[in-house]
Coordinates of all heavy atoms in Angstrom, one line a residue:
M1 N -8.4 -52.2 72.7 CA -8.5 -51.8 71.3 C -9.7 -50.9 71.1 O -10.8 -51.3 71.4 CB -8.6 -53.1 70.4 CG -8.5 -52.8 69.0 SD -8.3 -54.3 68.2 CE -9.1 -54.0 66.8
S2 N -9.5 -49.7 70.8 CA -10.5 -48.8 70.6 C -10.8 -48.6 69.0 O -9.8 -48.6 68.2 CB -10.2 -47.4 71.2 OG -9.2 -46.8 70.6
T3 N -12.0 -48.4 68.7 CA -12.3 -48.1 67.3 C -12.9 -46.7 67.2 O -13.5 -46.2 68.1 CB -13.5 -49.1 66.9 OG1 -14.6 -48.9 67.7 CG2 -13.0 -50.5 66.9
K4 N -12.6 -46.2 66.1 CA -13.0 -44.8 65.8 C -14.3 -44.8 65.1 O -14.5 -45.6 64.2 CB -11.9 -44.1 64.9 CG -12.2 -42.6 64.7 CD -11.1 -42.0 63.8 CE -11.3 -40.6 63.6 NZ -10.3 -40.0 62.7
K5 N -15.2 -44.0 65.6 CA -16.6 -43.9 64.9 C -16.5 -43.3 63.6 O -15.7 -42.3 63.4 CB -17.5 -43.1 65.8 CG -18.0 -43.8 67.1 CD -19.0 -42.9 67.7 CE -19.5 -43.6 69.0 NZ -20.5 -42.8 69.6
N6 N -17.1 -43.9 62.6 CA -17.1 -43.3 61.3 C -18.2 -42.2 61.3 O -19.3 -42.3 61.8 CB -17.5 -44.4 60.2 CG -16.5 -45.4 60.0 OD1 -15.3 -45.1 60.2 ND2 -16.9 -46.6 59.6
T7 N -17.7 -41.1 60.7 CA -18.7 -39.9 60.7 C -19.1 -39.8 59.2 O -18.4 -40.2 58.2 CB -18.0 -38.6 61.1 OG1 -16.8 -38.4 60.3 CG2 -17.6 -38.7 62.6
R8 N -20.3 -39.3 59.0 CA -20.8 -39.2 57.6 C -20.0 -38.0 57.0 O -19.7 -37.0 57.6 CB -22.3 -38.8 57.7 CG -23.1 -39.9 58.2 CD -24.5 -39.5 58.1 NE -25.4 -40.5 58.9 CZ -26.6 -40.3 59.2 NH1 -27.2 -39.2 58.9 NH2 -27.2 -41.2 59.8
S9 N -19.8 -38.2 55.7 CA -19.1 -37.1 55.0 C -20.0 -35.9 54.9 O -21.2 -36.0 54.7 CB -18.7 -37.6 53.5 OG -19.9 -37.8 52.8
G10 N -19.4 -34.7 55.0 CA -20.2 -33.5 55.0 C -20.7 -33.0 56.3 O -21.0 -31.9 56.5
K11 N -20.7 -33.8 57.3 CA -21.1 -33.4 58.6 C -19.9 -33.3 59.5 O -18.9 -34.1 59.4 CB -22.0 -34.5 59.3 CG -23.3 -34.5 58.6 CD -24.4 -35.1 59.4 CE -25.7 -35.0 58.8 NZ -26.8 -35.3 59.6
Q12 N -19.9 -32.3 60.4 CA -18.8 -32.0 61.3 C -19.2 -32.2 62.7 O -20.4 -32.0 63.0 CB -18.3 -30.6 61.1 CG -17.8 -30.3 59.7 CD -17.6 -28.8 59.4 OE1 -18.1 -28.0 60.2 NE2 -17.0 -28.5 58.4
G13 N -18.3 -32.6 63.5 CA -18.6 -32.8 64.9 C -18.8 -31.5 65.6 O -18.5 -30.4 65.1
P14 N -19.3 -31.5 66.8 CA -19.5 -30.3 67.6 C -18.2 -29.5 67.8 O -18.2 -28.3 67.8 CB -20.1 -30.7 68.9 CG -19.9 -32.2 69.0 CD -19.7 -32.7 67.6
D15 N -17.1 -30.2 68.0 CA -15.9 -29.5 68.3 C -15.4 -28.7 67.0 O -14.9 -27.6 67.1 CB -14.7 -30.5 68.7 CG -15.0 -31.1 70.0 OD1 -15.8 -30.5 70.8 OD2 -14.6 -32.3 70.3
T16 N -15.5 -29.3 65.9 CA -15.1 -28.7 64.6 C -15.9 -27.5 64.3 O -15.4 -26.4 63.9 CB -15.2 -29.7 63.4 OG1 -14.5 -30.9 63.8 CG2 -14.6 -29.1 62.2
R17 N -17.3 -27.6 64.5 CA -18.2 -26.5 64.3 C -17.8 -25.3 65.2 O -17.9 -24.1 64.8 CB -19.6 -26.8 64.5 CG -20.2 -27.6 63.2 CD -21.6 -27.9 63.4 NE -21.7 -29.2 64.0 CZ -22.6 -29.7 64.7 NH1 -23.7 -28.9 65.0 NH2 -22.6 -30.9 65.2
K18 N -17.5 -25.6 66.5 CA -17.2 -24.5 67.4 C -15.9 -23.8 67.0 O -15.8 -22.6 67.1 CB -17.0 -25.1 68.8 CG -16.8 -24.1 69.8 CD -16.7 -24.7 71.2 CE -16.4 -23.7 72.3 NZ -16.2 -24.2 73.6
E19 N -14.9 -24.6 66.6 CA -13.7 -24.0 66.1 C -13.9 -23.1 64.9 O -13.3 -22.0 64.8 CB -12.6 -25.1 65.8 CG -12.1 -25.8 67.0 CD -11.2 -27.0 66.6 OE1 -10.9 -27.1 65.4 OE2 -10.9 -27.7 67.5
L20 N -14.7 -23.5 63.9 CA -15.0 -22.8 62.8 C -15.7 -21.5 63.1 O -15.5 -20.5 62.5 CB -15.8 -23.6 61.7 CG -15.0 -24.7 61.0 CD1 -16.0 -25.5 60.1 CD2 -13.9 -24.2 60.2
G21 N -16.6 -21.6 64.0 CA -17.4 -20.4 64.5 C -16.5 -19.4 65.1 O -16.7 -18.2 64.9
D22 N -15.6 -19.9 65.9 CA -14.6 -19.0 66.6 C -13.8 -18.3 65.5 O -13.5 -17.1 65.7 CB -13.8 -19.7 67.6 CG -14.5 -20.2 68.8 OD1 -15.7 -19.7 69.0 OD2 -14.0 -21.1 69.5
Q23 N -13.3 -19.0 64.6 CA -12.5 -18.4 63.5 C -13.3 -17.4 62.7 O -12.8 -16.2 62.4 CB -12.0 -19.4 62.5 CG -10.9 -20.3 63.1 CD -10.5 -21.4 62.1 OE1 -11.2 -21.7 61.1 NE2 -9.4 -22.1 62.4
Q24 N -14.6 -17.7 62.4 CA -15.4 -16.7 61.6 C -15.7 -15.4 62.5 O -15.7 -14.3 62.0 CB -16.7 -17.3 61.3 CG -16.5 -18.3 60.1 CD -17.8 -19.0 59.7 OE1 -18.8 -19.0 60.5 NE2 -17.8 -19.7 58.6
K25 N -15.9 -15.6 63.8 CA -16.1 -14.4 64.6 C -14.9 -13.5 64.7 O -15.0 -12.4 64.8 CB -16.5 -14.9 66.0 CG -17.9 -15.5 66.1 CD -18.2 -15.9 67.5 CE -19.6 -16.5 67.6 NZ -19.9 -17.0 68.9
K26 N -13.7 -14.2 64.7 CA -12.5 -13.4 64.8 C -12.2 -12.6 63.5 O -11.7 -11.5 63.6 CB -11.3 -14.3 65.2 CG -11.4 -14.8 66.6 CD -10.3 -15.7 66.9 CE -10.4 -16.4 68.3 NZ -9.3 -17.4 68.5
T27 N -12.4 -13.3 62.4 CA -12.0 -12.7 61.1 C -13.1 -12.0 60.3 O -12.8 -11.4 59.3 CB -11.4 -13.8 60.2 OG1 -12.4 -14.8 60.0 CG2 -10.2 -14.5 60.9
S28 N -14.4 -12.0 60.7 CA -15.4 -11.6 59.8 C -15.4 -10.0 59.8 O -15.6 -9.5 58.7 CB -16.8 -12.0 60.4 OG -17.0 -11.5 61.7
F29 N -14.9 -9.4 60.8 CA -15.0 -7.9 60.8 C -13.5 -7.3 60.8 O -13.3 -6.1 61.0 CB -15.8 -7.3 61.9 CG -17.2 -7.6 61.8 CD1 -17.9 -8.4 62.6 CD2 -17.9 -6.9 60.8 CE1 -19.2 -8.7 62.5 CE2 -19.3 -7.2 60.6 CZ -19.9 -8.1 61.5
S30 N -12.6 -8.1 60.5 CA -11.2 -7.6 60.5 C -11.0 -7.1 59.1 O -11.7 -7.3 58.1 CB -10.2 -8.8 60.7 OG -10.3 -9.7 59.6
P31 N -10.0 -6.1 59.0 CA -9.7 -5.5 57.6 C -9.5 -6.6 56.5 O -10.0 -6.5 55.4 CB -8.6 -4.7 57.9 CG -8.6 -4.4 59.3 CD -9.1 -5.5 60.0
A32 N -8.9 -7.6 56.8 CA -8.6 -8.7 55.8 C -9.9 -9.4 55.4 O -10.1 -9.7 54.3 CB -7.6 -9.7 56.4
G33 N -10.7 -9.6 56.4 CA -12.0 -10.3 56.2 C -12.9 -9.4 55.3 O -13.6 -9.8 54.4
I34 N -12.9 -8.1 55.6 CA -13.7 -7.2 54.9 C -13.2 -7.1 53.4 O -14.0 -7.0 52.4 CB -13.7 -5.8 55.5 CG1 -14.5 -5.9 56.9 CG2 -14.4 -4.7 54.6 CD1 -14.4 -4.6 57.7
K35 N -11.9 -7.0 53.2 CA -11.3 -6.9 51.9 C -11.6 -8.2 51.1 O -12.0 -8.2 49.9 CB -9.8 -6.8 52.0 CG -9.1 -6.6 50.7 CD -7.7 -6.3 50.9 CE -7.0 -6.1 49.5 NZ -5.6 -5.9 49.7
L36 N -11.6 -9.4 51.8 CA -11.9 -10.6 51.1 C -13.4 -10.6 50.7 O -13.8 -11.0 49.5 CB -11.7 -11.8 52.0 CG -12.1 -13.2 51.5 CD1 -11.3 -13.6 50.3 CD2 -11.9 -14.2 52.6
F37 N -14.3 -10.1 51.6 CA -15.7 -10.1 51.3 C -16.0 -9.2 50.1 O -16.7 -9.5 49.1 CB -16.5 -9.6 52.5 CG -17.9 -9.3 52.2 CD1 -18.8 -10.3 52.0 CD2 -18.4 -8.0 52.1 CE1 -20.2 -10.1 51.7 CE2 -19.7 -7.7 51.8 CZ -20.6 -8.8 51.6
L38 N -15.4 -8.0 50.0 CA -15.5 -7.1 49.0 C -15.0 -7.6 47.6 O -15.6 -7.4 46.6 CB -14.9 -5.7 49.3 CG -15.6 -4.9 50.4 CD1 -14.8 -3.7 50.7 CD2 -17.0 -4.6 50.0
S39 N -13.9 -8.3 47.6 CA -13.4 -8.9 46.4 C -14.3 -10.0 45.9 O -14.5 -10.1 44.7 CB -12.0 -9.4 46.6 OG -11.9 -10.5 47.5
E40 N -14.9 -10.8 46.8 CA -15.8 -11.9 46.4 C -17.1 -11.2 45.8 O -17.7 -11.7 44.8 CB -16.2 -12.7 47.6 CG -15.0 -13.6 48.0 CD -15.3 -14.4 49.2 OE1 -16.4 -14.3 49.9 OE2 -14.5 -15.3 49.6
V41 N -17.6 -10.1 46.4 CA -18.8 -9.4 45.9 C -18.5 -8.9 44.5 O -19.3 -9.0 43.6 CB -19.2 -8.3 46.9 CG1 -20.2 -7.4 46.2 CG2 -19.7 -8.8 48.2
Q42 N -17.3 -8.3 44.3 CA -17.0 -7.8 43.0 C -16.9 -8.9 42.0 O -17.4 -8.7 40.8 CB -15.6 -7.0 43.1 CG -15.3 -6.3 41.8 CD -14.0 -5.5 42.0 OE1 -13.2 -5.8 43.0 NE2 -13.7 -4.6 41.1
S43 N -16.3 -10.0 42.3 CA -16.2 -11.1 41.4 C -17.7 -11.7 41.1 O -17.9 -12.1 39.9 CB -15.3 -12.2 41.9 OG -16.0 -12.9 43.0
E44 N -18.6 -11.7 42.0 CA -19.9 -12.1 41.7 C -20.7 -11.1 40.8 O -21.5 -11.5 40.0 CB -20.7 -12.4 43.0 CG -20.3 -13.5 43.8 CD -20.4 -14.9 43.1 OE1 -21.4 -15.0 42.4 OE2 -19.5 -15.7 43.2
F45 N -20.4 -9.8 41.0 CA -21.1 -8.8 40.2 C -20.6 -8.9 38.7 O -21.4 -8.6 37.8 CB -20.8 -7.4 40.7 CG -21.8 -6.8 41.6 CD1 -21.6 -6.7 42.9 CD2 -23.1 -6.5 41.0 CE1 -22.6 -6.2 43.8 CE2 -24.1 -6.0 41.8 CZ -23.8 -5.9 43.2
H46 N -19.4 -9.4 38.5 CA -19.0 -9.6 37.1 C -19.7 -10.7 36.4 O -19.7 -10.8 35.2 CB -17.5 -9.8 37.0 CG -16.7 -8.6 37.4 ND1 -16.7 -7.4 36.6 CD2 -15.8 -8.3 38.4 CE1 -15.9 -6.5 37.2 NE2 -15.4 -7.0 38.2
K47 N -20.3 -11.7 37.2 CA -21.0 -12.8 36.6 C -22.4 -12.5 36.3 O -23.1 -13.3 35.6 CB -21.0 -14.0 37.6 CG -19.6 -14.5 37.9 CD -19.7 -15.6 39.0 CE -18.3 -16.0 39.5 NZ -18.5 -17.1 40.5
I48 N -23.0 -11.3 36.7 CA -24.3 -11.0 36.5 C -24.6 -10.6 35.0 O -23.8 -9.9 34.4 CB -24.8 -9.8 37.3 CG1 -24.7 -10.1 38.8 CG2 -26.1 -9.3 36.9 CD1 -25.0 -9.0 39.7
V49 N -25.6 -11.2 34.4 CA -26.0 -10.9 33.1 C -27.3 -10.0 33.1 O -28.3 -10.5 33.5 CB -26.3 -12.1 32.2 CG1 -26.8 -11.8 30.8 CG2 -25.1 -13.0 32.2
W50 N -27.1 -8.8 32.9 CA -28.2 -7.8 33.0 C -29.1 -7.8 31.7 O -28.6 -8.0 30.6 CB -27.7 -6.4 33.2 CG -26.9 -6.2 34.4 CD1 -25.6 -6.1 34.6 CD2 -27.5 -6.1 35.8 NE1 -25.3 -6.0 35.9 CE2 -26.4 -5.9 36.6 CE3 -28.7 -6.1 36.3 CZ2 -26.5 -5.8 38.0 CZ3 -28.9 -5.9 37.6 CH2 -27.8 -5.8 38.5
P51 N -30.4 -7.8 31.9 CA -31.3 -7.8 30.7 C -31.2 -6.5 29.9 O -30.8 -5.5 30.5 CB -32.7 -8.0 31.3 CG -32.6 -7.5 32.7 CD -31.2 -7.7 33.1
G52 N -31.5 -6.6 28.7 CA -31.4 -5.4 27.8 C -32.6 -4.5 28.1 O -33.5 -4.8 28.9
R53 N -32.6 -3.4 27.3 CA -33.7 -2.4 27.5 C -35.1 -2.9 27.1 O -36.0 -2.6 27.7 CB -33.3 -1.1 26.7 CG -34.3 0.0 26.9 CD -33.9 1.3 26.1 NE -32.6 1.7 26.6 CZ -32.5 2.8 27.4 NH1 -33.5 3.3 27.9 NH2 -31.3 3.2 27.8
K54 N -35.1 -3.6 25.9 CA -36.4 -4.1 25.4 C -37.0 -5.1 26.3 O -38.2 -4.9 26.6 CB -36.2 -4.7 24.0 CG -37.4 -4.8 23.2 CD -37.0 -5.1 21.8 CE -38.3 -5.0 20.9 NZ -38.0 -5.1 19.5
P55 N -36.4 -6.2 26.8 CA -37.1 -7.1 27.8 C -37.5 -6.4 29.0 O -38.5 -6.7 29.6 CB -36.1 -8.2 28.0 CG -35.0 -8.0 27.0 CD -35.1 -6.6 26.5
T56 N -36.7 -5.4 29.6 CA -37.0 -4.8 30.8 C -38.2 -3.9 30.6 O -39.1 -3.9 31.5 CB -35.8 -3.9 31.2 OG1 -34.6 -4.7 31.3 CG2 -36.1 -3.2 32.5
A57 N -38.4 -3.2 29.4 CA -39.5 -2.4 29.2 C -40.7 -3.3 29.0 O -41.8 -2.9 29.5 CB -39.3 -1.5 28.0
G58 N -40.6 -4.4 28.3 CA -41.8 -5.3 28.1 C -42.3 -5.9 29.4 O -43.5 -5.9 29.7
L59 N -41.3 -6.3 30.3 CA -41.7 -6.9 31.6 C -42.3 -5.8 32.5 O -43.3 -6.1 33.2 CB -40.6 -7.6 32.2 CG -40.1 -8.9 31.6 CD1 -38.9 -9.4 32.1 CD2 -41.2 -10.0 31.6
T60 N -41.8 -4.6 32.4 CA -42.4 -3.5 33.3 C -43.8 -3.2 32.8 O -44.7 -3.0 33.7 CB -41.4 -2.3 33.2 OG1 -40.1 -2.6 33.6 CG2 -42.0 -1.2 34.0
G61 N -44.0 -3.1 31.5 CA -45.3 -2.9 31.0 C -46.3 -4.0 31.4 O -47.4 -3.7 31.8
F62 N -45.8 -5.2 31.4 CA -46.7 -6.3 31.8 C -47.1 -6.3 33.3 O -48.2 -6.5 33.6 CB -46.0 -7.7 31.5 CG -46.7 -8.8 32.0 CD1 -47.9 -9.3 31.3 CD2 -46.3 -9.6 33.1 CE1 -48.5 -10.5 31.7 CE2 -47.0 -10.7 33.5 CZ -48.1 -11.1 32.8
V63 N -46.1 -5.9 34.1 CA -46.4 -5.8 35.5 C -47.4 -4.6 35.8 O -48.3 -4.8 36.6 CB -45.1 -5.6 36.3 CG1 -45.3 -5.1 37.7 CG2 -44.2 -6.8 36.3
I64 N -47.2 -3.5 35.1 CA -48.1 -2.4 35.3 C -49.5 -2.8 34.9 O -50.5 -2.5 35.5 CB -47.6 -1.1 34.6 CG1 -46.3 -0.6 35.3 CG2 -48.7 -0.1 34.5 CD1 -45.6 0.5 34.5
L65 N -49.6 -3.4 33.7 CA -50.9 -3.9 33.2 C -51.6 -4.9 34.2 O -52.8 -4.8 34.5 CB -50.8 -4.5 31.8 CG -52.0 -5.1 31.2 CD1 -53.0 -3.9 30.8 CD2 -51.7 -5.9 30.0
L66 N -50.8 -5.8 34.7 CA -51.3 -6.8 35.7 C -51.8 -6.1 37.0 O -52.9 -6.5 37.5 CB -50.2 -7.8 35.9 CG -50.7 -9.1 36.6 CD1 -51.6 -9.9 35.7 CD2 -49.5 -10.0 36.9
V67 N -51.1 -5.1 37.4 CA -51.5 -4.4 38.6 C -52.8 -3.7 38.4 O -53.7 -3.7 39.2 CB -50.4 -3.4 39.1 CG1 -50.9 -2.4 40.1 CG2 -49.2 -4.2 39.6
I68 N -53.0 -3.1 37.2 CA -54.2 -2.4 36.9 C -55.4 -3.3 36.8 O -56.4 -3.1 37.3 CB -54.0 -1.6 35.6 CG1 -53.1 -0.4 35.8 CG2 -55.4 -1.1 35.1 CD1 -52.7 0.3 34.5
V69 N -55.2 -4.4 36.1 CA -56.3 -5.5 36.0 C -56.7 -6.0 37.4 O -57.9 -6.1 37.7 CB -55.8 -6.6 35.0 CG1 -56.8 -7.7 35.1 CG2 -55.7 -6.0 33.6
I70 N -55.7 -6.4 38.2 CA -56.0 -6.9 39.5 C -56.7 -5.9 40.4 O -57.6 -6.2 41.2 CB -54.8 -7.6 40.2 CG1 -54.4 -8.8 39.3 CG2 -55.0 -7.9 41.6 CD1 -53.0 -9.4 39.8
S71 N -56.2 -4.6 40.4 CA -56.8 -3.6 41.2 C -58.3 -3.3 40.7 O -59.1 -3.1 41.6 CB -56.0 -2.3 41.2 OG -56.0 -1.8 39.9
L72 N -58.5 -3.4 39.4 CA -60.0 -3.1 39.0 C -60.8 -4.3 39.4 O -62.0 -4.1 39.9 CB -59.9 -3.0 37.4 CG -59.5 -1.7 36.8 CD1 -59.4 -1.8 35.3 CD2 -60.3 -0.5 37.3
Y73 N -60.3 -5.5 39.4 CA -61.0 -6.7 39.8 C -61.3 -6.6 41.3 O -62.5 -6.8 41.7 CB -60.3 -8.0 39.5 CG -60.9 -9.2 40.1 CD1 -62.1 -9.7 39.6 CD2 -60.3 -9.8 41.2 CE1 -62.7 -10.8 40.2 CE2 -60.9 -10.9 41.8 CZ -62.1 -11.5 41.3 OH -62.6 -12.6 41.8
L74 N -60.3 -6.4 42.1 CA -60.5 -6.3 43.5 C -61.4 -5.1 43.9 O -62.2 -5.2 44.8 CB -59.2 -6.2 44.2 CG -58.3 -7.5 44.2 CD1 -57.0 -7.2 44.9 CD2 -59.0 -8.6 44.9
G75 N -61.3 -4.0 43.3 CA -62.1 -2.9 43.5 C -63.6 -3.1 43.2 O -64.5 -2.8 44.0
S76 N -63.8 -3.8 42.1 CA -65.2 -4.1 41.8 C -65.8 -5.2 42.7 O -67.0 -5.0 43.1 CB -65.3 -4.7 40.3 OG -64.6 -5.8 40.1
V77 N -65.0 -6.2 43.1 CA -65.5 -7.1 44.1 C -65.8 -6.4 45.4 O -66.8 -6.7 46.1 CB -64.5 -8.3 44.3 CG1 -64.8 -9.2 45.5 CG2 -64.4 -9.2 43.0
D78 N -64.9 -5.5 45.8 CA -65.1 -4.8 47.1 C -66.4 -4.0 47.0 O -67.2 -3.9 48.0 CB -63.9 -3.9 47.4 CG -64.1 -3.2 48.6 OD1 -64.5 -3.8 49.7 OD2 -63.7 -2.0 48.7
L79 N -66.6 -3.3 45.9 CA -67.8 -2.5 45.7 C -69.1 -3.3 45.7 O -70.1 -3.0 46.4 CB -67.7 -1.7 44.4 CG -68.9 -0.7 44.1 CD1 -68.9 0.4 45.0 CD2 -68.7 -0.2 42.6
L80 N -69.1 -4.4 45.1 CA -70.3 -5.3 45.0 C -70.5 -5.9 46.4 O -71.7 -5.9 46.9 CB -70.1 -6.4 44.0 CG -70.1 -6.0 42.5 CD1 -69.7 -7.2 41.6 CD2 -71.5 -5.5 42.2
L81 N -69.5 -6.4 47.0 CA -69.7 -6.9 48.4 C -70.2 -5.9 49.4 O -71.0 -6.1 50.3 CB -68.5 -7.6 48.9 CG -68.1 -8.9 48.2 CD1 -66.8 -9.4 48.8 CD2 -69.2 -10.0 48.4
G82 N -69.6 -4.7 49.3 CA -70.1 -3.6 50.1 C -71.5 -3.3 49.9 O -72.3 -3.0 50.9
K83 N -72.0 -3.2 48.7 CA -73.4 -2.9 48.4 C -74.3 -4.1 48.9 O -75.4 -3.8 49.5 CB -73.6 -2.7 46.9 CG -73.0 -1.4 46.4 CD -73.7 -1.0 45.1 CE -73.0 0.3 44.7 NZ -73.8 1.4 44.9
L84 N -73.8 -5.3 48.7 CA -74.5 -6.5 49.2 C -74.7 -6.4 50.8 O -75.8 -6.7 51.3 CB -73.9 -7.7 48.8 CG -74.5 -9.1 49.2 CD1 -75.8 -9.3 48.5 CD2 -73.6 -10.2 48.9
V85 N -73.7 -6.1 51.4 CA -73.7 -6.1 52.9 C -74.6 -4.9 53.3 O -75.4 -5.0 54.2 CB -72.3 -5.9 53.5 CG1 -72.3 -5.6 55.0 CG2 -71.5 -7.2 53.3
S86 N -74.5 -3.8 52.6 CA -75.4 -2.6 53.1 C -76.9 -2.9 52.8 O -77.7 -2.4 53.6 CB -74.9 -1.3 52.4 OG -75.2 -1.5 51.0
T87 N -77.2 -3.6 51.7 CA -78.6 -4.0 51.5 C -79.1 -5.0 52.5 O -80.2 -5.0 52.9 CB -78.8 -4.5 50.1 OG1 -77.9 -5.5 49.8 CG2 -78.6 -3.4 49.0
V88 N -78.2 -5.9 52.9 CA -78.7 -6.9 53.9 C -78.9 -6.3 55.2 O -79.8 -6.7 56.0 CB -77.6 -8.1 53.9 CG1 -77.9 -9.0 55.1 CG2 -77.6 -8.9 52.6
L89 N -78.1 -5.3 55.6 CA -78.2 -4.7 56.9 C -79.3 -3.7 57.0 O -79.7 -3.3 58.1 CB -76.8 -4.1 57.3 CG -75.6 -5.0 57.5 CD1 -74.4 -4.2 57.9 CD2 -76.0 -6.0 58.7
K90 N -79.8 -3.2 55.9 CA -80.9 -2.2 55.9 C -82.2 -2.9 56.2 O -82.9 -3.6 56.3 CB -81.0 -1.5 54.6 CG -80.0 -0.4 54.5 CD -80.1 0.4 53.3 CE -79.1 1.5 53.2 NZ -79.2 2.3 52.1

């Protein structure tokens, strides 16, 4: 009397994974596979909610302001540390 091992749900044995991998390798670049991929991409693009002009402009302005502030801070720290090192080495 043999007993079958219980497998956890969601996990596949090595044989099943190999078979699925072989199927994906065969169909991933076939015309049917490419057509399926493109239709899935198109359906996902329809789900995208694009932000309006006003939030996009506001966030872009915020990013530009943040870049300017951080670059001024890092530039001043670099200048101060450079002067400190040059005075110590003289």
Side-chain angles (χ1 to χ4, degrees):
M1 183 166 148
S2 66
T3 59
K4 185 177 180 182
K5 288 185 179 181
N6 290 333
T7 58
R8 295 182 190 168
S9 63
K11 292 200 173 191
Q12 301 168 344
D15 294 336
T16 308
R17 281 184 266 153
K18 184 177 178 185
E19 290 173 7
L20 289 175
D22 291 343
Q23 287 176 348
Q24 288 176 347
K25 286 180 184 176
K26 290 178 185 176
T27 61
S28 62
F29 292 111
S30 67
I34 293 172
K35 185 176 180 181
L36 175 65
F37 173 74
L38 291 176
S39 67
E40 289 175 356
V41 168
Q42 187 177 17
S43 68
E44 290 298 320
F45 264 109
H46 289 296
K47 296 177 186 178
I48 296 174
V49 178
W50 298 100
R53 182 179 298 263
K54 198 168 187 176
T56 303
L59 290 172
T60 302
F62 176 72
V63 167
I64 291 171
L65 179 68
L66 197 61
V67 166
I68 291 170
V69 168
I70 291 173
S71 65
L72 288 173
Y73 171 74
L74 290 175
S76 63
V77 168
D78 182 46
L79 183 66
L80 290 173
L81 288 175
K83 289 199 183 262
L84 180 68
V85 168
S86 65
T87 57
V88 167
L89 291 178
K90 283 186 180 182

